[in-house]
Amino acid sequence: MPGRKRAMPVRSQAFALEDYSFCYPDTQQATLNHLTLSIEQGQRVVITGPSGCGKSSLLYLLNRLYPANCDGIVSGSLDIYGKQSDRYEAGEINKTIATVFQDPDAQFCMPTVEEELAFTLENLHTPREDMQYRIDAILSKTGLVEYRKRIIQTLSGGWKQRVATACALIMEPKCLLLDEPLTHLDPVTAMEFVSWLDALQAEHQLTVVAIEHKLELWGAFFDREIALTKDGTIGKDAAFDAKSPTFFTRRKRSIRQDTLLAAEQLTVSKNGIRLISDISLALISGQVTVVAGPNGSGKSTLLKALCGIYKPFTGSLRGKPAGYVPQSPEQLFLTTTVEDELAFSGKSSPAEIKRLLDGLFLQQIAYAHPFSISHGQKRRVATGAMVADKRKVLLLDEPTAGQDEQSLKELYELIDAHAQEGCAIVIVTHDMNFASSVADSILLMKAGSLTGIFDPALLWGNDELLQEHRLLAPKGTKAYAPAFA
């Protein structure tokens, strides 16, 4: 695992920003303000900062996606590999810089993994006689050989992220831009990804620039941290210092005995493929259940089955209708402002909507378009809309992704308060620190089946069970093991 300190030789600059600012169209306040910084070829840099501070915007400026594709307003100068950014021809930068987006679905164009890789090479005008060799090599390097013919949209979020990374690396770039690449990976897979990227970067001297909130899984991978403030300025630019994971004090809740939603022998199939099998569970009033397990184990499928998106192949579902927030929350948006999105159901008063906006740190963007805000903010908007709809059962798929520490705290408070009011809440997450803070029980899944429902305190001490499900116990518990020495 990466943990060694590397001597940093003098290198050429990959990026140089001088008094650089960026403002989205139709907004008065700039997202990024007067940034002056440089990143050298071969450096490993992490960009941090509160949700919505402009981290993704900065990444998209570095790869020329912005302002070319959003009519944004820029000032100052940006040089990319010694050339002014606005002098690059359309598509020229893609031969040098590859990007993995936070939502991998946003970059897929073809149905299967192999076709997506081939499409990437075709856009680079790769000779046909070289394509098969490069596809075979990258499938092997990324552990995707068995997924060559798989339909991408049938894969879990974690496997999609790996496919997106493979598509970036097959371009053989000088620089790799990563927007929260560990978001949808189970903890062990995340550690393996970092270890693999460490070896790859060392071999090819890639420049790596990543956005990340959960730094503990990266160990000593990064050389340097650029911390943005909420105003879009640079608050800190210094040598990287690994941080402890976010942790909240576990509260006791009064769990009632009312069953709000129950599944019996639930089995779901799609396109002839069995996704989950024979799952029986009961969601109890006042209880928070965390669903955990390896990538591709059926966690998101279970949530889609519980809310009725996937119809049971066999088995039954009975109880109250559930509110569902998917991994890509923009799929739910129906209005043109954040405030209207929360108020859309008409079941909450204006005063209740205001409390939600304040509690979820959404007041400053209340009149922004839901599609224009950050991924972390989108998740909070979608969660708030389901709370405003007064659903008694909430199903949240990766709600902690893209959230800074303060946003996680407010999300925890919202979930806890909703449970105290008698709701049943199910959370799919790979963040075991958050799970240990909020969960009354943890439902483990593997290969589409329910392994069991466990008391969190007992689970954290069971090394064998954690290893089987590719999980890491939270810091401070018996089975906790830091990502890297």
Side-chain angles (χ1 to χ4, degrees):
M1 292 296 182
R4 61 184 183 276
K5 292 296 182 182
R6 295 168 296 278
M8 295 299 296
V10 176
R11 300 187 177 98
S12 61
Q13 286 185 337
F15 304 99
L17 292 81
E18 183 71 31
D19 196 29
Y20 198 73
S21 298
F22 173 73
C23 184
Y24 283 99
D26 303 324
T27 60
Q28 295 181 345
Q29 186 173 352
T31 299
L32 296 170
N33 288 284
H34 306 290
L35 303 186
T36 296
L37 62 93
S38 63
I39 297 173
E40 294 177 349
Q41 171 62 24
Q43 274 193 323
R44 306 172 177 205
V45 179
V46 62
I47 301 173
T48 63
S51 180
C53 70
K55 299 185 296 297
S56 293
S57 298
L58 176 56
L59 213 66
Y60 300 157
L61 288 162
L62 297 182
N63 68 6
R64 293 291 296 143
L65 183 65
Y66 291 173
N69 292 285
C70 73
D71 297 323
I73 302 168
V74 299
S75 63
S77 66
L78 166 60
D79 286 359
I80 302 175
Y81 285 94
K83 183 176 178 178
Q84 292 182 17
S85 62
D86 57 2
R87 293 191 175 180
Y88 278 89
E89 298 292 335
E92 180 185 359
I93 199 68
N94 296 334
K95 299 175 182 178
T96 303
I97 299 172
T99 307
V100 179
F101 297 94
Q102 189 181 100
D103 181 4
D105 283 323
Q107 61 194 97
F108 295 139
C109 299
M110 305 300 287
T112 71
V113 172
E114 184 175 37
E115 289 172 317
E116 187 68 32
L117 291 167
F119 180 74
T120 302
L121 293 177
E122 286 172 353
N123 282 320
L124 296 175
H125 304 290
T126 303
R128 183 167 294 275
E129 59 270 20
D130 295 339
M131 290 177 62
Q132 197 60 58
Y133 168 78
R134 289 176 63 174
I135 290 173
D136 290 344
I138 203 66
L139 287 172
S140 177
K141 187 171 287 188
T142 54
L144 289 167
V145 173
E146 296 180 2
Y147 291 80
R148 177 192 295 267
K149 302 295 184 181
R150 286 287 296 273
I151 303 296
I152 294 174
Q153 293 307 320
T154 66
L155 301 177
S156 71
W159 282 107
K160 286 179 180 178
Q161 192 79 328
R162 190 176 295 204
V163 173
T165 305
C167 290
L169 293 173
I170 202 171
M171 299 166 66
E172 299 179 348
K174 290 183 180 179
C175 177
L176 187 60
L177 306 180
L178 305 167
D179 195 349
E180 296 203 60
L182 308 186
T183 293
H184 301 301
L185 304 182
D186 63 64
V188 174
T189 300
M191 290 172 57
E192 292 172 349
F193 177 90
V194 174
S195 181
W196 166 70
L197 186 62
D198 175 66
L200 189 77
Q201 191 279 337
E203 179 184 355
H204 298 285
Q205 284 301 296
L206 285 170
T207 302
V208 177
V209 182
I211 294 172
E212 189 57 78
H213 285 292
K214 298 172 183 175
L215 296 174
E216 67 273 12
L217 289 173
W218 288 87
F221 177 88
F222 295 110
D223 304 309
R224 175 181 169 202
E225 177 183 3
I226 298 172
L228 298 182
T229 70
K230 64 179 180 180
D231 300 318
T233 60
I234 297 178
K236 183 178 73 171
D237 185 347
F240 177 68
D241 181 20
K243 297 173 179 61
S244 297
T246 302
F247 224 105
F248 304 113
T249 302
R250 176 75 175 85
R251 295 175 184 165
K252 290 185 177 180
R253 281 186 291 269
S254 175
I255 299 175
R256 301 163 176 83
Q257 297 302 313
D258 301 330
T259 297
L260 299 182
L261 185 64
E264 296 180 4
Q265 300 296 307
L266 196 65
T267 296
V268 171
S269 296
K270 187 177 181 182
N271 299 325
I273 299 173
R274 183 69 54 89
L275 301 180
I276 57 174
S277 300
D278 301 322
I279 291 182
S280 297
L281 57 86
L283 303 182
I284 308 299
S285 176
Q287 186 176 62
V288 177
T289 302
V290 163
V291 183
N295 290 124
S297 58
K299 302 182 297 296
S300 296
T301 299
L302 175 60
L303 261 57
K304 291 176 182 178
L306 291 175
C307 72
I309 292 177
Y310 286 165
K311 301 301 181 185
F313 182 72
T314 61
S316 63
L317 192 67
R318 56 181 175 80
K320 296 185 177 297
Y324 169 61
V325 178
Q327 286 184 14
S328 300
E330 59 268 20
Q331 295 173 359
L332 302 180
F333 296 156
L334 297 168
T335 70
T336 56
T337 72
V338 167
E339 184 176 54
D340 287 346
E341 201 64 43
L342 265 63
F344 183 78
S345 70
K347 296 180 181 178
S348 291
S349 68
E352 289 173 318
I353 297 300
K354 184 180 184 305
R355 284 196 294 272
L356 274 175
L357 287 168
D358 291 340
L360 291 171
F361 287 92
L362 297 171
Q363 189 60 55
Q364 288 188 332
I365 57 169
Y367 302 110
H369 197 291
F371 283 93
S372 71
I373 59 181
S374 75
H375 289 287
Q377 290 168 331
K378 288 176 181 178
R379 287 185 172 90
R380 298 205 299 278
V381 171
T383 301
M386 286 301 166
V387 171
D389 196 29
K390 298 187 182 296
R391 299 292 181 105
K392 297 299 290 183
V393 179
L394 282 183
L395 311 174
L396 310 179
D397 198 348
E398 295 284 2
T400 64
Q403 308 297 346
D404 58 53
E405 186 170 355
Q406 185 59 46
S407 298
L408 282 176
K409 184 177 186 300
E410 293 305 320
L411 179 64
Y412 167 78
E413 297 289 348
L414 180 71
I415 291 170
D416 182 70
H418 218 49
Q420 296 282 12
E421 294 171 0
C423 296
I425 303 170
V426 182
I427 302 169
V428 168
T429 184
H430 294 302
D431 187 340
M432 293 299 99
N433 299 306
F434 190 81
S436 70
S437 302
V438 76
D440 298 299
S441 62
I442 296 183
L443 187 157
L444 292 185
M445 293 188 69
K446 187 172 66 172
S449 296
L450 173 63
T451 305
I453 301 177
F454 300 88
D455 179 275
L458 297 178
L459 175 61
W460 306 142
N462 192 324
D463 291 346
E464 183 178 350
L465 203 55
L466 290 170
Q467 290 173 10
E468 286 178 3
H469 294 81
R470 302 183 69 80
L471 301 175
L472 295 176
K475 184 177 181 180
T477 59
K478 177 183 176 183
Y480 172 75
F484 317 113

